[in-house]
Amino acid sequence: MGLMYGTKQTHTHKLGSGFGFGSGSGVSARWVTFFCIASFCLGVIFINRFGISLVPLKTDDVSSPLEKQKESLQHVINCEKKDDASVEAGDIFSQVSRTHDVIMNLDKTISSLETKLASARSAKKPVPEASNERQKFFFVMGIMTAFSSQKRRNSIRQTWMPQGKDLLRLEKEKRIIIRFVIGHSATQGGLLDRAIDVEDEEHKDFLRLNHIEGYHALSSKTQIYFSTVAAKWDADFYIKVDDDVHINLGMIGSTLLRHRSKPRVYLGCMKSGPVLAQKGLKYHEPEYWKFGEDGNKYFMHATGQIYAISKDLATFISINRHILHKYANEDVSLGSWFIGLDVEHVDDRSLCCQTPPDCEWKTQAGNLCAASFDWSCSGICKSVERMKEVHKLCGEGEDAIWHTSF
């Protein structure tokens, strides 16, 4: 027993020396292996417990903060670009709106300047060496005619319209202008136009318009006529008359003289005929629906055979000619242009006397007519054959115009 105890003690001492507690002893290889495995296990347990990743760092992970900053900066730039696009779109709409306002203001300014220019021309005194075109006249009478109406024109020249030197004398002494009014054919410079050139060379009594002739373009012709004469001659009144109507010039002058001091006057035989919606009729109105229900009538307007307007109204037509609506019938068109204006409508029945015996009886009674025609024909029926008869029975006399003071 004692031997074995002693042996055990000796072995124990050697074991302690194996741990390195003894100064000159070495480390056992088994213990090194044991400690390595234990350290590895402890390390694994420690890492798993505290969630530390064992994946090695990549170069991208090193630059991740910079990348995040870059992405954030790019996002801000994109937002700013979107904001800039929105602002740019807003600027475009704003600029369009401002441009529209500028255009409207310019349009108003141009209209105002045109009005002032027309007034300045009216007030301007004639220069002695200048032509008579801008001198002051009492009235201008335009006789609407067509290429096929030479016989009608001749019937007027042979009756109530002065010719040659008397036509020039009428302009100088009475300040009255009379012209046949015609445009040009669809083939300008063609046979029809050359025929008018020859006729004008002989009589020198035409006013040529920049207008293509046609029955369905009378509203346009009327508009161009008033615009042209208002620019060409400075007159108190401008008259439109058809080439199948008889006129007493002295009575026309006396009638206008009563309204000379008024600024905006519209004279004629006022009427309100039915609006004809049925196609194929002579005075069919394509825009009949604008006048209300079927069976409605037009507003009051002067009949188209003859009417007169003062200078201010002719100037108004000239300035606004591009925006004035034209209906199928020219007398309706003219009346519509004055609907919203402060205009005095003068219904003068002396401007629409019937042919004999009506105008003859009135002449015998001392109530001379200013104009005569047949309502049934919208002019004198068979005017070429009857104009001389009407002139003889209803005329004021050959010298009446020269003895009438305006």
Side-chain angles (χ1 to χ4, degrees):
M1 289 295 290
L3 178 63
M4 292 182 66
Y5 179 77
T7 303
K8 192 174 181 178
Q9 288 292 326
T10 303
H11 178 75
T12 305
H13 175 72
K14 286 181 179 179
L15 183 63
S17 297
F19 274 97
F21 298 106
S23 60
S25 61
V27 180
S28 174
R30 288 178 298 174
W31 288 109
V32 172
T33 302
F34 172 78
F35 279 112
C36 288
I37 294 172
S39 298
F40 175 78
C41 293
L42 288 173
V44 170
I45 294 170
F46 180 80
I47 289 171
N48 289 338
R49 184 170 182 84
F50 292 98
I52 299 175
S53 175
L54 294 176
V55 180
L57 289 175
K58 298 179 182 179
T59 54
D60 294 341
D61 295 333
V62 175
S63 59
S64 60
L66 293 176
E67 290 295 331
K68 289 181 180 179
Q69 279 189 332
K70 185 177 178 181
E71 290 177 2
S72 299
L73 205 56
Q74 187 65 33
H75 179 70
V76 172
I77 292 172
N78 291 337
C79 289
E80 288 180 352
K81 285 183 177 179
K82 290 180 180 178
D83 291 341
D84 291 343
S86 300
V87 172
E88 185 177 354
D91 288 342
I92 291 173
F93 285 117
S94 178
Q95 290 174 4
V96 169
S97 178
R98 287 197 297 269
T99 302
H100 177 71
D101 292 340
V102 169
I103 291 173
M104 294 297 293
N105 289 331
L106 283 174
D107 186 55
K108 292 179 180 179
T109 302
I110 290 171
S111 297
S112 177
L113 289 174
E114 286 179 335
T115 304
K116 291 179 180 179
L117 179 61
S119 300
R121 283 176 175 174
S122 300
K124 184 179 178 181
K125 293 182 179 180
V127 181
E129 55 270 15
S131 67
N132 289 339
E133 289 184 353
R134 294 314 305 171
Q135 294 182 14
K136 188 70 176 178
F137 292 92
F138 181 22
F139 66 81
V140 175
M141 177 178 286
I143 307 169
M144 298 293 168
T145 190
F147 290 114
S148 60
S149 299
Q150 183 177 9
K151 291 183 178 180
R152 287 187 178 185
R153 292 191 290 272
N154 287 335
S155 69
I156 289 176
R157 292 181 179 120
Q158 294 166 6
T159 53
W160 60 265
M161 180 179 178
Q163 290 295 291
K165 293 181 179 179
D166 286 339
L167 190 63
L168 295 175
R169 179 188 172 193
L170 190 69
E171 296 177 11
K172 292 180 179 180
E173 293 185 13
K174 300 300 180 181
R175 318 308 294 166
I176 295 173
I177 302 286
I178 303 177
R179 295 288 188 273
F180 287 106
V181 181
I182 196 168
H184 58 80
S185 64
T187 55
Q188 192 169 0
L191 184 62
L192 294 175
D193 296 302
R194 290 198 298 271
I196 295 297
D197 292 338
V198 173
E199 191 176 343
D200 190 26
E201 183 65 27
E202 179 183 357
H203 299 283
K204 301 186 186 304
D205 56 2
F206 276 95
L207 172 65
R208 311 292 286 274
L209 301 179
N210 183 20
H211 164 76
I212 300 176
E213 283 293 321
Y215 178 78
H216 295 291
L218 291 179
S219 292
S220 178
K221 183 176 181 178
T222 301
Q223 186 185 82
I224 295 172
Y225 161 68
F226 282 120
S227 299
T228 301
V229 293
K232 189 175 181 64
W233 292 293
D234 179 17
D236 294 325
F237 295 96
Y238 301 93
I239 303 173
K240 175 262 176 183
V241 60
D242 290 341
D243 60 3
D244 54 357
V245 175
H246 180 267
I247 297 295
N248 283 323
L249 290 174
M251 287 303 301
I252 289 288
S254 298
T255 300
L256 296 178
L257 192 62
R258 296 195 295 269
H259 307 283
R260 199 172 193 174
S261 61
K262 301 174 182 178
R264 294 171 299 279
V265 186
Y266 172 36
L267 298 97
C269 289
M270 300 295 164
K271 67 174 185 177
S272 176
V275 180
L276 302 179
Q278 184 179 349
K279 291 183 179 180
L281 297 178
K282 183 177 180 180
Y283 298 113
H284 166 62
E285 178 57 72
E287 297 179 271
Y288 61 89
W289 57 273
K290 289 185 177 180
F291 299 92
E293 299 176 355
D294 291 344
N296 279 2
K297 292 185 176 182
Y298 288 112
F299 42 79
M300 293 297 292
H301 61 280
T303 187
Q305 288 79 6
I306 180 173
Y307 44 73
I309 61 174
S310 58
K311 179 176 68 176
D312 288 350
L313 297 183
T315 302
F316 168 79
I317 293 174
S318 178
I319 292 173
N320 299 283
R321 59 189 179 278
H322 300 301
I323 60 173
L324 293 176
H325 185 69
K326 294 179 281 292
Y327 290 98
N329 302 303
E330 50 92 10
D331 52 354
V332 173
S333 295
L334 185 76
S336 71
W337 299 340
F338 303 148
I339 283 292
L341 304 181
D342 185 12
V343 175
E344 181 177 349
H345 290 57
V346 178
D347 181 22
D348 194 324
R349 309 316 288 186
S350 71
L351 293 170
C352 53
C353 294
Q354 288 275 82
T355 57
D358 179 54
C359 62
E360 181 183 8
W361 294 339
K362 291 177 180 178
T363 299
Q364 293 173 355
N367 299 320
L368 286 170
C369 294
S372 301
F373 57 88
D374 296 309
W375 284 100
S376 59
C377 297
S378 298
I380 297 175
C381 298
K382 299 181 179 179
S383 64
V384 174
E385 294 82 7
R386 296 186 59 220
M387 186 65 74
K388 287 184 178 180
E389 174 198 353
V390 175
H391 184 65
K392 179 180 179 180
L393 297 175
C394 304
E396 60 190 354
E398 299 299 328
D399 297 329
I401 184 64
W402 308 114
H403 299 298
T404 304
S405 176
F406 301 127

